[in-house]
Amino acid sequence: QSWSRGMSYCLHSESHLDTGPIYVRENGKLHVVNPGAGGVQNVTPKTRPFSLFSRSFSVELCMNREDDRARRQRTDHFIFTYTKEGNLRYSAKSLFSLVLGYISDNVDHIDSLIGFPEQIAEKLFSAAEARQKFTEPVTGLRALQKFTEAYGSLVLCSLCLRNRYLVISEKLEEIKSFRELTCLDLSCCKLGDEHELLEHLTKEALSSVKRLLLKDNSLSDAGLRRMTAPVRVLKKGLENLLVLDLSCNPKITDVGIGYLLSFKKLNCLDISGTGLKDVNAVIKRLQMQIGLVHSKVPLKEFDHSNCKTEGWAEQTVLQWEQAVMEAMKPQDNLRSRAAALRFYGKTHRIEEVVKCTLVEPETKVSGNLQFYKEKVQNSHLPLKKEVAGSHELKNNKKRALAEQERERTSKQKHLCLTMEDWDLLNTY
């Protein structure tokens, strides 16, 4: 009893605290302590509303787990670093980087970039590229077209897709969106005459191409006729072509070489491994009509080392290649370093030597058929006596060449303009 009275006295002294009823079990019976009475009553307890928390308690509403993305975006506004002492320090990002990240996340909603400063556009392209926005099927194509329409060759001036047929098949529309390409390497892709990309070569979008490498693509005379039809008739298409590689295409014959005479600016040509019947006649024809001389040694323009992927979208093309490789079955002996480089998306393509093993015997039989245009050197002025004597000879040569040119153009118009040519030209 003295223990209960002491507890009652203690509770009575601290009656200002609302602790609620207190129950004590003694000798197998439950007793309730009545602070007002100051003792213990053996009464059946009557429960009263009991509050678990005090009146001053407050509850903070937390975000749901589904809203973790919004929480993560708030933490992205800060940069966390460690000091030399090991303490964690954070600093706020600049407003420019925050806006750049937001726009790159929604780059497919941009209406136009024409007139936008290219220095900032390059940073925007890199930010969207780091987020792999250009690898998405629909939105990536739409965003890439906005950049290529505004900046052209800055996005990509040179594209190397040799031995990358799967990339061409998966990203054909994205490849067709590149404008103002000056170099295009499609070697060893087995495209054939009817491929959509070869038809795209005749469009004005690729009129800036100066180097075109089509080695080992199963081309024939029909494909060359379609490829040169806009140049022969409309003076459009690949009219600025300087270097052309058609080697290792056995279906190209003397007739197909005749279509190439429309490339007046052509400086280098490789037709090794083609199905020519009269090689000497072709050599003479190329030299007389477009001034190409047969080279006895291999030319450096066809060693496939000068054509590489260059521009803002260089890493984008590598991401396409990595996506195609990941879609294929993974190899067991894949090195961990290569896997880490692919994960960060900053790998460099290993440029292998192009080898066409299927047509190597035919190339050896026909020999090296590479042509180049000699540079015109300024000769000394002849003496007055020699000028008077050679003036008539020059006039005679000019008349003979003019007559040959008339005959050639009349025959070429009669032979080249077929119904298929007109059907192709009607699409422009």
Side-chain angles (χ1 to χ4, degrees), residues 5-63:
R5 289 176 182 177
M7 182 179 291
S8 175
Y9 176 77
C10 181
L11 292 174
H12 181 70
S13 63
E14 297 179 359
S15 60
H16 61 279
L17 296 176
D18 187 12
T19 59
I22 300 176
Y23 300 94
V24 177
R25 183 178 295 278
E26 184 180 4
N27 296 327
K29 294 182 180 181
L30 187 65
H31 303 275
V32 60
V33 178
N34 189 359
V40 180
Q41 298 179 355
N42 189 4
V43 188
T44 304
K46 294 182 180 180
T47 60
R48 62 178 181 177
F50 176 71
S51 60
L52 182 62
F53 305 102
S54 61
R55 294 181 180 179
S56 61
F57 184 81
S58 61
V59 180
E60 181 181 0
L61 183 61
C62 299
M63 292 185 296

Side-chain angles (χ1 to χ4, degrees), residues 64-80:
N64 193 6
R65 292 179 178 270
E66 297 179 357
D67 297 331
D68 287 343
R69 182 178 179 184
R71 188 184 308 172
R72 201 179 308 117
Q73 289 179 354
R74 290 190 305 173
T75 58
D76 288 344
H77 296 175
F78 303 96
I79 302 175
F80 295 91

Side-chain angles (χ1 to χ4, degrees), residues 7-195:
M7 182 179 291
S8 175
Y9 176 77
C10 181
L11 292 174
H12 181 70
S13 63
E14 297 179 359
S15 60
H16 61 279
L17 296 176
D18 187 12
T19 59
I22 300 176
Y23 300 94
V24 177
R25 183 178 295 278
E26 184 180 4
N27 296 327
K29 294 182 180 181
L30 187 65
H31 303 275
V32 60
V33 178
N34 189 359
V40 180
Q41 298 179 355
N42 189 4
V43 188
T44 304
K46 294 182 180 180
T47 60
R48 62 178 181 177
F50 176 71
S51 60
L52 182 62
F53 305 102
S54 61
R55 294 181 180 179
S56 61
F57 184 81
S58 61
V59 180
E60 181 181 0
L61 183 61
C62 299
M63 292 185 296
N64 193 6
R65 292 179 178 270
E66 297 179 357
D67 297 331
D68 287 343
R69 182 178 179 184
R71 188 184 308 172
R72 201 179 308 117
Q73 289 179 354
R74 290 190 305 173
T75 58
D76 288 344
H77 296 175
F78 303 96
I79 302 175
F80 295 91
T81 56
Y82 283 95
T83 61
K84 295 181 180 180
E85 294 79 9
N87 299 326
L88 184 63
R89 177 184 295 178
Y90 70 92
S91 58
K93 290 184 179 180
S94 63
L95 181 61
F96 175 78
S97 61
L98 295 178
V99 174
L100 193 68
Y102 178 79
I103 298 177
S104 61
D105 287 332
N106 303 275
V107 68
D108 55 302
H109 296 290
I110 297 177
D111 292 335
S112 177
L113 288 170
I114 298 176
F116 197 69
E118 58 187 39
Q119 292 84 358
I120 303 178
E122 183 178 1
K123 296 181 179 180
L124 179 61
F125 189 93
S126 300
E129 189 178 55
R131 291 166 170 78
Q132 296 188 356
K133 288 294 182 178
F134 301 115
T135 59
E136 299 176 0
V138 180
T139 58
L141 174 60
R142 188 186 307 119
L144 190 62
Q145 289 176 345
K146 301 300 180 183
F147 282 95
T148 54
E149 289 175 358
Y151 305 103
S153 61
L154 292 177
V155 179
L156 207 66
C157 61
S158 178
L159 179 59
C160 179
L161 292 174
R162 61 172 173 264
N163 202 17
R164 301 296 195 280
Y165 178 77
L166 293 178
V167 179
I168 296 175
S169 301
E170 293 293 330
K171 300 294 180 180
L172 180 60
E173 295 300 324
E174 285 82 353
I175 294 172
K176 291 168 61 177
S177 67
F178 291 123
R179 300 186 178 186
E180 299 182 12
L181 286 174
T182 58
C183 182
L184 181 59
D185 190 352
L186 301 174
S187 302
C188 302
C189 289
K190 306 291 185 181
L191 298 179
D193 295 330
E194 303 295 331
H195 199 275

